[in-house]
Amino acid sequence: MTTPRNRKIVLAARPSGEPKVSDFQLIEEQLAEPGEGRALLRTLYLSLDPYMRGRMNAGKSYAPPVEIGDVMVGGAVSEVLRSSVAGLSPGDIVEGRTGWQAYAVTDGSGLRKVDPALAPVSTALGVLGMPGMTAYTGLLNLGQPKPGETVVVAAASGAVGSVVGQIARIKGCRAVGVAGGQQKCDYVVNELGFDACIDHRRPDLAERLKEACPGGIDVYFENVGGAVFEAALPLLNPFARVPVCGLIAHYNDTAPPPGPDRLPDLMRQVLSKRLMLRGFIVGDFAEQRPEFLQETSRWIREGRIKYREDIVEGLDRAPEAFIGLLKGENFGKLIVRVAS
């Protein structure tokens, strides 16, 4: 069996503000033969996630940036084609951070096997993958929802937010979502079972959120920032918890937002209401993966958690799909199908 030629998308330039298709480059090259202690993987599905925007910048963050000319970082579900790695056999399905490419050669580190009997293998990138585990660990460890409380989640139709709200309902809470557009709001309420959902594109966002949360907000799960956070902040109850997962409204910012300095008001409310704001990365709770998989897969089987995947066909469409993700154009977990 000859080693196939690889197609991969590399970072061609660091974007200023909103990324452009020209910031990426699709190249083709011959893969090296996988030597002893290596495995050859064929990518089936590639995950596109908002955190990737930060990895395109050169600045210091919780993870190193992608260097110019390197393969774009990203999680993928792959099939093992050849292997001399202990525990990996041809035909195995694995998930790992192998990036935006059609094939990968690996020593097996960082891979986990995916059980196709548990759910469609693409869910290892969504509801049963990093986004689902982000929702599970962030809400339960930091949000600490209690029966009867109100949980508000931004980007409620997305891969993380949709799971947050459904777990909140499972835990006996009132779940209120914020999403972009009436179609997404209808899905959040009618399909996912949230108690309410507010369209953040409406000019009366703050008033409508207040109407949906007559008893205030006990947990605000932050995925967005911007106007959504500004609408939620005055409604936070004393001792409210704010797990900060993402700030997608600001990922393309090139300067501070205009207007007055809002920091003093924020800190005043943190103090007077004794608020808990804590940022987190899903890896902070890596030891909880078995518990997350067991609980969440059970809730899916029981019909208590539903999910939606937005699948784009073809590796070459990843850049434009990713740019759309940062504008909220996706509907559900955004995945690229690289191969059948």
Side-chain angles (χ1 to χ4, degrees):
M1 178 181 180
T2 59
T3 303
R5 291 183 65 81
N6 192 21
R7 299 172 74 239
K8 61 184 184 180
I9 294 177
V10 303
L11 182 63
R14 298 205 183 279
S16 175
E18 182 180 317
K20 307 179 294 297
V21 171
S22 59
D23 294 327
F24 306 88
Q25 183 181 8
L26 176 64
I27 62 176
E28 185 172 323
E29 64 182 15
Q30 185 65 44
L31 274 173
E33 282 287 338
E36 187 63 29
R38 300 273 173 168
L40 174 63
L41 310 180
R42 179 174 68 118
T43 306
L44 304 178
Y45 295 98
L46 168 67
S47 178
L48 297 181
D49 301 284
Y51 78 85
M52 297 171 178
R53 175 62 186 86
R55 301 290 293 277
M56 299 173 76
N57 296 334
K60 185 177 181 181
S61 184
Y62 63 88
V66 178
E67 297 298 337
I68 300 296
D70 283 357
V71 176
M72 275 294 296
V73 66
V77 167
S78 305
E79 176 189 9
V80 178
L81 296 183
R82 301 206 295 273
S83 173
S84 58
V85 176
L88 286 184
S89 302
D92 285 347
I93 305 298
V94 295
E95 182 270 330
R97 300 177 67 78
T98 51
W100 296 24
Q101 55 185 338
Y103 295 90
V105 174
T106 173
D107 62 4
S109 59
L111 297 181
R112 68 178 180 95
K113 288 189 179 181
V114 176
D115 183 359
L118 198 62
V121 297
S122 57
T123 60
L125 300 175
V127 66
L128 291 177
M130 182 272 289
M133 186 168 163
T134 299
Y136 180 92
T137 57
L139 179 64
L140 298 184
N141 288 293
L142 306 184
Q144 301 177 8
K146 301 171 183 63
E149 290 190 327
T150 294
V151 175
V152 172
V153 56
S157 68
V160 174
S162 61
V163 178
V164 168
Q166 292 180 89
I167 295 177
R169 292 282 295 155
I170 290 170
K171 298 300 180 180
C173 297
R174 173 176 173 79
V176 177
V178 180
Q182 193 57 48
Q183 182 185 15
K184 290 182 179 179
C185 285
D186 290 344
Y187 166 74
V188 165
V189 173
N190 299 329
E191 294 295 323
L192 302 183
F194 283 52
D195 295 281
C197 188
I198 313 303
D199 181 358
H200 70 71
R201 296 175 181 170
R202 294 181 59 103
D204 57 351
L205 163 65
E207 292 81 2
R208 286 181 170 267
L209 185 60
K210 185 176 181 179
E211 290 173 3
C213 305
I217 299 172
D218 300 294
V219 180
Y220 173 58
F221 196 100
E222 178 64 287
N223 290 315
V224 173
V228 181
F229 179 71
E230 291 181 15
L233 180 60
L235 304 177
L236 294 176
N237 289 327
F239 302 102
R241 289 81 68 197
V242 183
V244 181
C245 171
L247 297 166
I248 195 170
H250 302 291
Y251 287 166
N252 289 331
D253 286 355
T254 57
D261 182 0
R262 298 174 177 85
L263 183 60
D265 180 55
L266 169 62
M267 296 307 294
R268 189 160 39 246
Q269 296 210 44
V270 169
L271 174 61
S272 62
K273 293 182 179 179
R274 288 82 87 206
L275 305 178
M276 189 281 286
L277 284 77
R278 179 174 156 187
F280 75 101
I281 307 299
V282 66
D284 298 342
F285 306 106
E287 74 283 355
Q288 295 180 17
R289 179 181 293 279
E291 170 195 327
F292 152 71
L293 287 173
Q294 181 180 26
E295 286 280 273
T296 307
S297 60
R298 175 172 62 83
W299 288 332
I300 292 172
R301 290 194 303 271
E302 294 171 351
R304 304 177 76 185
I305 285 187
K306 299 177 182 178
Y307 64 91
R308 178 177 180 138
E309 296 176 332
D310 189 342
I311 296 182
V312 173
E313 299 288 345
L315 179 65
D316 57 337
R317 293 185 60 197
E320 63 180 91
F322 175 67
I323 292 168
L325 168 71
L326 297 175
K327 299 176 183 178
E329 294 176 359
N330 61 300
F331 195 164
K333 171 64 193 131
L334 185 59
I335 297 171
V336 178
R337 191 185 347 250
V338 180
S340 301

